[in-house]
Amino acid sequence: QVQPVESGGGWVQPGGSLRLSCAANTRFFSIYNMGWFRQAPGKQRELVARISGDSATTYADSVKGRFTISRDNGKKTMYLQMSSLKPEDTAVYSCNVPLFSQYWGQGTQVTVSS
């Protein structure tokens, strides 16, 4: 098992879009459930979106309809497409592969402000 590596965070104005990537060069990537979490200052970490080995997806109510989680097993990469971003989406986003394991990405900052 290896640590995932994230990329794609940054600053965006409200209403904008960003795409996060999470690469995990692990042998069993294609069968893992995996997910994206976020943690804002002073708040608990929350599960934003999850995707199963057969690509079934689940979203937190706060992001439903705006965020899309996906995976490319050939590239061993998971994605989080974020659209219609709001200031309250500002947080450090981390991927967890496999889901609820000890293997986390380093975290990437997403800041939504004007």
Side-chain angles (χ1 to χ4, degrees), residues 84-107:
S84 301
L85 283 160
K86 305 175 181 180
E88 51 264 43
D89 295 317
T90 296
V92 175
Y93 286 70
S94 302
C95 62
N96 185 217
V97 180
L99 188 61
F100 304 129
S101 74
Q102 63 189 59
Y103 299 101
W104 293 85
Q106 78 279 13

Side-chain angles (χ1 to χ4, degrees), residues 8-62:
W11 173 83
V12 65
Q13 291 186 333
S17 299
L18 282 174
R19 189 176 82 156
L20 307 183
S21 299
C22 173
N25 188 17
T26 175
R27 180 178 179 185
F28 300 108
F29 182 93
S30 65
I31 66 171
Y32 285 152
N33 299 331
M34 53 192 73
W36 287 97
F37 290 76
R38 70 183 180 187
Q39 186 167 22
K43 295 188 176 182
Q44 288 190 331
R45 184 163 59 190
E46 65 169 332
L47 177 59
V48 172
R50 60 186 291 174
I51 186 166
S52 71
D54 60 359
S55 296
T57 58
T58 306
Y59 299 92
D61 287 343
S62 57

